[in-house]
Amino acid sequence: MYLTREEEQVLKGEFGEGTQKALELLVAIGDAYDAEKMIPISRAHAASSGQEGDLYFVELLANGGTSCRVPTSTNPVYDLAYFDNLFDVPKDEGEVARRVMEAYKRVGAILSWSCVPYLAENIPLYGETVSFSESSATPYINSVIGATTNREAAQSALAAGVIGKTPKYGLHIKENRKGTVLVKVKAALNDEFDYSMLGYYVGKRVGYGIPVLTSIARQPSTEELINFCAMANVSGAISMFYVPGFTVEAATVGEAFQGDMPKDRVTVTDDELKRAYDELQTTSGRVDFVMLGCPHYTLRQVEEVARLLNGKKISKGVGFWVCTSATTKMLAERGGYVDTIKKAGGHVVVDTCIDEPCWIAYKGKVGMTDSPKCAYYRRFKEARVARLRDCVEAAVGRK
Ligand code: F3S
């Protein structure tokens, strides 16, 4: 890969060890993908987590004295003080989370601790070149916003944030943004849960590629798009998709395929989505807790939870959790939604991911969620996946 004189100096360690390690990683990735050179980015999002791998790399950079050159936001870990009071989080696990969060602060990241930073804390514009990790973020940035990013890891996105550059390969090249699979959607899509099922099915069916979705009758909402992105990039590796007419980059199916023919064709009917739904249920047993906000709930979703819980009580012994960002929680507090959820016996937590060791108390339990991603990464024993209103009903009636 071609390197500028300054990049060569960074690799020799002339700008400090942290910066050197960050560029070493990016150059190794660039070489692996035959990238011709590094290109500047304007922002990054590191899918941080309270786990050992993250700790190693972010401390390597922080201890090496480097810091972010472009705005770089962070994914949720967990609010140790909150969970330690309730669940007795093992000391070593808590210590990893604390050190990860401290190290991101030392490298000057935006401490968003949110998995939907593209809604509030770190929003790319159309046409920007960025480096975003996190399952919903990558396809959302490429498809809904029309900025360009590859499917990054926490480490490669953080390294890019520190260097302010990324190797030019993959989705940073126009020809690689070509649709590969034509997906005809005959299934009824009425709400964001249907979009979760669609994402789950399309991800599994397409695997690795760029689906072009047709026959979608109306503009999907923000939440529907977030859910499609998150699920398609977990059951599969979907970094980009098109809904011609509704996503920004291609107005027609022909433009999405850049004049080529699709490599494959898929039809999705109600039957496929029903089968996907059935596959996600690992139990029909009585619910021990409900977990919502994977990806982090938007303000509209938190409001919906409050509306459904208003005047009701969650059954004794049933945990009820809504994960969201600190920004959204602040607005939800202003609107009185957090208060309503608390009065019903629920928790609204910030900075927290469902895939963290803080949920230790639910290890052998039955969890219910509206998120196939949460069910997939579950830190509990069995999963029921259902629409939000059914999750609320189950928590109130302990079904
Ligand atoms: Fe967000 Fe964690 Fe789910 S990062 S999407 S809450 S697995």
Side-chain angles (χ1 to χ4, degrees):
M1 185 164 67
Y2 165 78
L3 295 175
T4 63
R5 214 171 100 73
E6 190 193 21
E7 287 160 0
E8 297 279 12
Q9 288 170 318
V10 170
L11 279 184
K12 283 185 195 142
E14 291 178 22
F15 294 86
E17 202 188 341
T19 315
Q20 179 188 27
K21 294 293 172 203
L23 189 58
E24 275 176 7
L25 178 71
L26 296 174
V27 169
I29 293 170
D31 283 342
Y33 284 98
D34 288 332
E36 116 209 25
K37 60 177 183 178
M38 303 287 290
I39 47 172
I41 60 161
S42 47
R43 59 186 77 242
H45 175 72
S48 45
S49 73
Q51 292 162 18
E52 296 279 352
D54 274 328
L55 178 63
Y56 168 77
F57 193 68
V58 67
E59 281 196 341
L60 186 70
L61 300 200
N63 295 342
T66 194
S67 60
C68 298
R69 265 198 179 187
V70 296
T72 302
S73 45
T74 52
N75 236 32
V77 180
Y78 57 96
D79 180 345
L80 182 59
Y82 196 96
F83 283 90
D84 217 13
N85 279 332
L86 293 169
F87 292 159
D88 209 6
V89 179
K91 273 212 160 22
D92 52 337
E93 301 273 20
E95 184 56 12
V96 171
R98 190 196 61 71
R99 281 171 57 191
V100 165
M101 294 173 101
E102 178 59 30
Y104 273 100
K105 188 174 177 183
R106 282 160 60 209
V107 296
I110 302 168
L111 305 181
S112 50
W113 313 125
S114 162
C115 46
V116 289
Y118 47 81
L119 297 183
E121 298 86 3
N122 195 9
I123 312 172
L125 297 177
Y126 178 82
E128 275 189 50
T129 302
V130 303
S131 191
F132 267 52
S133 48
E134 176 51 27
S135 57
S136 75
T138 308
Y140 195 96
I141 299 307
N142 280 312
S143 319
V144 181
I145 292 180
T148 72
T149 179
N150 279 317
R151 191 173 192 263
E152 302 289 350
Q155 292 75 18
S156 59
L158 174 60
V162 159
I163 299 297
K165 292 181 183 176
T166 192
K168 185 179 180 188
Y169 74 96
L171 293 175
H172 294 301
I173 297 170
K174 172 96 178 122
E175 303 85 88
N176 297 334
R177 298 173 72 81
K178 181 190 305 189
T180 57
V181 179
L182 184 69
V183 180
K184 188 161 188 175
V185 184
K186 288 188 168 173
L189 297 175
N190 294 316
D191 58 19
E192 57 218 56
F193 187 72
D194 288 334
Y195 271 85
S196 285
M197 291 302 125
L198 180 68
Y200 179 77
Y201 179 76
V202 169
K204 271 193 108 168
R205 180 65 179 74
V206 172
Y208 184 85
I210 301 185
V212 179
L213 277 58
T214 65
S215 310
I216 289 189
R218 63 162 172 87
Q219 170 73 58
S221 68
T222 303
E223 290 80 5
E224 287 169 342
L225 288 164
I226 292 172
N227 285 0
F228 178 82
C229 292
M231 308 316 157
N233 204 14
V234 165
S235 61
I238 306 293
S239 302
M240 186 172 181
F241 66 98
Y242 292 94
V243 189
F246 294 130
T247 51
V248 290
E249 220 169 281
T252 64
V253 172
E255 271 180 45
F257 284 104
Q258 296 182 18
D260 273 2
M261 293 299 285
K263 290 187 181 139
D264 193 6
R265 289 166 194 267
V266 175
T267 300
V268 188
T269 68
D270 292 335
D271 285 350
E272 275 81 30
L273 296 198
K274 171 77 174 70
R275 273 201 295 277
Y277 172 83
D278 290 342
E279 194 179 301
L280 287 161
Q281 318 299 326
T282 69
T283 180
S284 55
R286 219 161 66 137
V287 63
D288 293 313
F289 67 97
V290 163
M291 195 172 275
L292 306 167
C294 169
H296 276 179
Y297 259 11
T298 64
L299 184 63
R300 196 197 56 62
Q301 289 171 311
V302 179
E303 180 192 4
E304 175 79 357
V305 178
R307 197 181 58 72
L308 291 166
L309 277 176
N310 194 13
K312 297 186 179 145
K313 277 271 174 232
I314 291 157
S315 295
K316 209 163 178 279
V318 176
F320 191 97
W321 297 86
V322 181
C323 297
T324 190
S325 67
T327 312
T328 300
K329 188 176 177 188
M330 180 191 72
L331 295 174
E333 272 167 348
R334 288 184 181 174
Y337 316 137
V338 173
D339 217 36
T340 305
I341 295 168
K342 272 192 194 160
K343 270 190 194 136
H347 301 260
V348 179
V349 277
V350 299
D351 304 345
T352 303
C353 165
I354 56 88
D355 184 30
E356 291 292 333
C358 55
W359 302 107
I360 182 128
Y362 293 132
K363 215 169 169 196
K365 309 273 175 144
V366 173
M368 193 162 175
T369 176
D370 61 347
S371 162
K373 183 176 177 185
C374 176
Y376 177 83
Y377 282 134
R378 65 180 189 266
R379 286 193 173 251
F380 42 98
K381 193 164 173 246
E382 304 289 355
R384 288 167 58 188
V385 181
R387 284 190 161 71
L388 168 61
R389 67 167 176 273
D390 297 325
C391 292
V392 170
E393 254 178 43
V396 170
R398 188 140 209 202
K399 287 192 233 154

